[in-house]
Amino acid sequence: MRVFVTGGAGYVGSHCVRELVAAGHQVVVYDNLVYGHRKAVPDDVPLIEGDLADGAKLRTTLSEGRFDAVMHFAAYAYVGESVERPLVYYRNNLANTLTLLEAMRDLEIRRLVFSSTCATYGEPERVPIVESLPQKPINPYGRSKLAVEWMLEDSARAWGLGSCALRYFNACGAARDGSIGEDHRPETHLIPLVLQVALGQRAKITIFGTDYETPDGTCIRDYIHVEDLASAHRLAIEELEFGRADAFNVGTGQGQSVRAIIEAARRVTGRPIAVEEGPRRPGDPPVLVADAGRIRKAFRWEPAYVDVGEIVASAWRWHESHPRGFGDR
Ligand code: UFG
């Protein structure tokens, strides 16, 4: 297939680009490089520097490329920032996706895989989370993603779009060959922050809350390796059915506490990691763990990384060998 990848220079997008290319698909990346990195895109994959808000450029690119399918990663993903600047999130994540969908409808491109999030569930009634639980996001980031899921459902009925929304849990890790990995500025995610302490780039890691009703008092998350996300995307795009909007959780089904991640990082790096116990971060649910049974069954997808040590080791290989990330910011 010829696949148009928005946000293909970003963290999850760039790993998916590699997976698509390895599976024999032809890929074109469209990225405004605000958060993405040119070096994250392989040299032989065309990278068009463009913004989804630029509807004219988007349409020209889409129509000239004769694409069979779109993978849509381009979005902002900072929960805290979304609370402070909600309209920026609705503009970028929702309105720009509307622009993309209008162009796809007009050009009759009817296959789409969309990056959704477990944040669409808000504070779930129970865990592990199954897809049929109510989606009640508690921040503008989660709401902007849920609103896109609604557009996909309505588009399936109205003009035959075949789509798959993949609701990621906590994306982590780096490419097995060590060539690309996570480089967010600012960095807010637990595993890279902990590894920056191991590298001596930060003095300590602050644990956000130690009084949760969990076995060790810290929050539990489902850390899903970025290459496992990539294989889920490839399978999803190959299996799309026109006129059907589907949605799947993508996680390992195993929860790890904040303390467990820090312990794993100490083991893997062999370095001391100073810890400070701080207050809870507003909006953090105590436990978010996926029931990924549907995607396992539908696509015979299996995560390759389930062991927390292997997951942290994968991230460490990248951070240790690229202490300044891609070195472009
Ligand atoms: N944490 C700390 N200290 C830190 C950073 C994080 O204790 O310095 C904790 C958080 O409180 C949380 C866990 O580590 O319990 C993971 O936090 P991250 O910020 O790495 O990830 P989140 O679970 O907050 O965020 C992820 C995705 C978001 C998505 C969200 C859904 O990155 O895009 O899940 O809840 F919206």
Side-chain angles (χ1 to χ4, degrees):
M1 273 191 277
R2 285 186 56 77
V3 188
F4 181 76
V5 181
T6 78
Y11 174 44
V12 181
S14 60
H15 288 80
C16 288
V17 164
R18 278 160 197 258
E19 169 85 19
L20 287 171
V21 170
H25 298 294
Q26 289 181 297
V27 175
V28 173
V29 169
Y30 190 86
D31 197 301
N32 63 11
L33 299 179
V34 169
Y35 287 118
H37 305 275
R38 191 177 291 278
K39 284 191 201 152
V41 179
D43 289 338
D44 52 356
V45 170
L47 165 62
I48 294 165
E49 196 172 337
D51 206 297
L52 287 177
D54 184 349
K57 181 167 186 167
L58 176 67
R59 263 171 202 261
T60 310
T61 314
L62 269 179
S63 83
E64 285 174 359
R66 304 188 165 278
F67 294 100
D68 303 297
V70 174
M71 271 196 193
H72 178 33
F73 298 96
Y76 292 156
Y78 290 111
V79 172
E81 182 185 62
S82 81
V83 176
E84 280 152 33
R85 305 174 71 203
L87 301 186
V88 171
Y89 275 67
Y90 286 112
R91 171 65 60 195
N92 195 46
N93 295 3
L94 180 58
N96 286 353
T97 305
L98 177 57
T99 305
L100 174 66
L101 287 173
E102 285 170 338
M104 289 176 67
R105 178 200 58 199
D106 295 349
L107 296 164
E108 297 182 7
I109 302 170
R110 290 194 304 227
R111 292 189 186 92
L112 176 74
V113 177
F114 170 64
S115 302
S116 190
T117 167
C118 65
T120 59
Y121 294 108
E123 296 187 11
E125 289 163 9
R126 54 176 197 275
V127 284
I129 298 171
V130 287
E131 288 85 350
S132 53
L133 280 186
Q135 287 175 288
K136 296 183 193 161
I138 55 170
N139 51 59
Y141 167 65
R143 287 170 190 252
S144 70
K145 290 282 184 173
L146 178 57
V148 171
E149 288 197 17
W150 293 337
M151 292 202 292
L152 302 185
E153 286 167 21
D154 295 335
S155 295
R157 275 187 289 271
W159 53 278
L161 177 69
S163 70
C164 187
L166 297 179
R167 299 178 186 153
Y168 313 163
F169 282 65
N170 286 55
C172 62
R176 199 176 281 269
D177 68 4
S179 56
I180 54 171
E182 192 165 7
D183 183 2
H184 294 120
R185 311 291 166 101
E187 188 53 79
T188 61
H189 297 107
L190 179 65
I191 293 177
L193 289 176
V194 169
L195 296 179
Q196 286 172 5
V197 180
L199 280 171
Q201 296 175 339
R202 277 176 202 270
K204 58 179 188 290
I205 182 79
T206 305
I207 300 181
F208 296 148
T210 52
D211 59 350
Y212 285 97
E213 284 184 22
T214 58
D216 69 14
T218 66
C219 284
I220 291 176
R221 294 288 179 273
D222 184 335
Y223 293 89
I224 175 74
H225 196 276
V226 67
E227 287 193 331
D228 289 327
L229 284 177
S231 64
H233 282 75
R234 180 181 55 77
L235 291 166
I237 209 146
E238 291 172 353
E239 303 274 336
L240 285 177
E241 286 172 43
F242 293 137
R244 183 181 158 96
D246 218 334
F248 296 96
N249 291 336
V250 197
T252 64
Q254 292 188 25
Q256 304 293 343
S257 72
V258 175
R259 288 194 205 278
I261 294 290
I262 296 168
E263 267 318 308
R266 286 186 177 127
R267 277 198 310 276
V268 164
T269 65
R271 302 193 185 180
I273 294 171
V275 164
E276 170 187 68
E277 297 189 356
R280 294 182 181 198
R281 183 172 68 177
D284 269 345
V287 182
L288 290 174
V289 175
D291 180 328
R294 276 194 75 236
I295 191 166
R296 283 173 188 259
K297 203 167 156 214
F299 303 151
R300 287 195 215 92
W301 170 85
E302 283 297 326
Y305 290 84
V306 284
D307 177 75
V308 63
E310 279 184 36
I311 285 175
V312 173
S314 155
W316 177 238
R317 278 194 294 279
W318 159 255
H319 288 284
E320 196 184 21
S321 59
H322 298 78
R324 293 181 55 244
F326 290 98
D328 54 359
R329 300 259 148 75

